[in-house]
Amino acid sequence: MDKNYDKYINNAIEWAICHLNSKEYCFICLAFVEDALERSNGIEIFGGDFAKESADLYEANKQTGVPPKGTFVFYDCFGVINGERKNWGH
C-alpha cells in the first residue's frame, strides 16, 4: 500500500473515532465518511448527495472480494427520512 494512502486512511479513522456518538451526522452517514477523509487530510472527494447515489456513481456493485482497509463500502438501505421513503443506501 502506498505510504500516503495509508496516512490518509489512518487520519480518517482517527477523525471518525474522535467523532463517535456525534449527533451532527444523524441520517447523513455519507457526510460523516466524507468529512472523516476530507477534514482529516485537507482534501476534497466527490460523490453523490446520499450513499446510494455515490455507490451508483462509483459502480460499487461491480466490485468483488474483501475490501482493503480504507475502502468505501456501500449497501442498500431502504427507509424513511423526512417523510420520503427510498433506497438511501448506507
Side-chain angles (χ1 to χ4, degrees):
M1 182 178 301
D2 180 276
K3 270 189 174 178
N4 289 332
Y5 183 70
D6 198 43
K7 179 182 170 197
Y8 288 151
I9 293 166
N10 290 330
N11 287 345
I13 291 170
E14 185 177 321
W15 184 95
I17 289 170
C18 289
H19 289 83
L20 285 174
N21 300 317
S22 169
K23 303 283 187 217
E24 182 181 357
Y25 292 95
C26 185
F27 299 117
I28 52 173
C29 55
L30 182 62
F32 180 83
V33 173
E34 286 179 346
D35 283 355
L37 187 59
E38 293 177 340
R39 292 182 180 191
S40 68
N41 290 294
I43 61 172
E44 179 77 21
I45 61 172
F46 300 96
D49 291 334
F50 51 94
K52 173 66 170 127
E53 191 174 80
S54 288
D56 291 344
L57 178 72
Y58 299 142
E59 298 182 328
N61 62 327
K62 294 182 179 180
Q63 305 306 311
T64 61
V66 177
K69 177 181 171 183
T71 302
F72 280 19
V73 177
F74 299 95
Y75 60 87
D76 286 334
C77 184
F78 289 87
V80 178
I81 297 178
N82 297 325
E84 184 177 359
R85 176 176 168 64
K86 69 179 183 179
N87 182 354
W88 300 97
H90 194 74

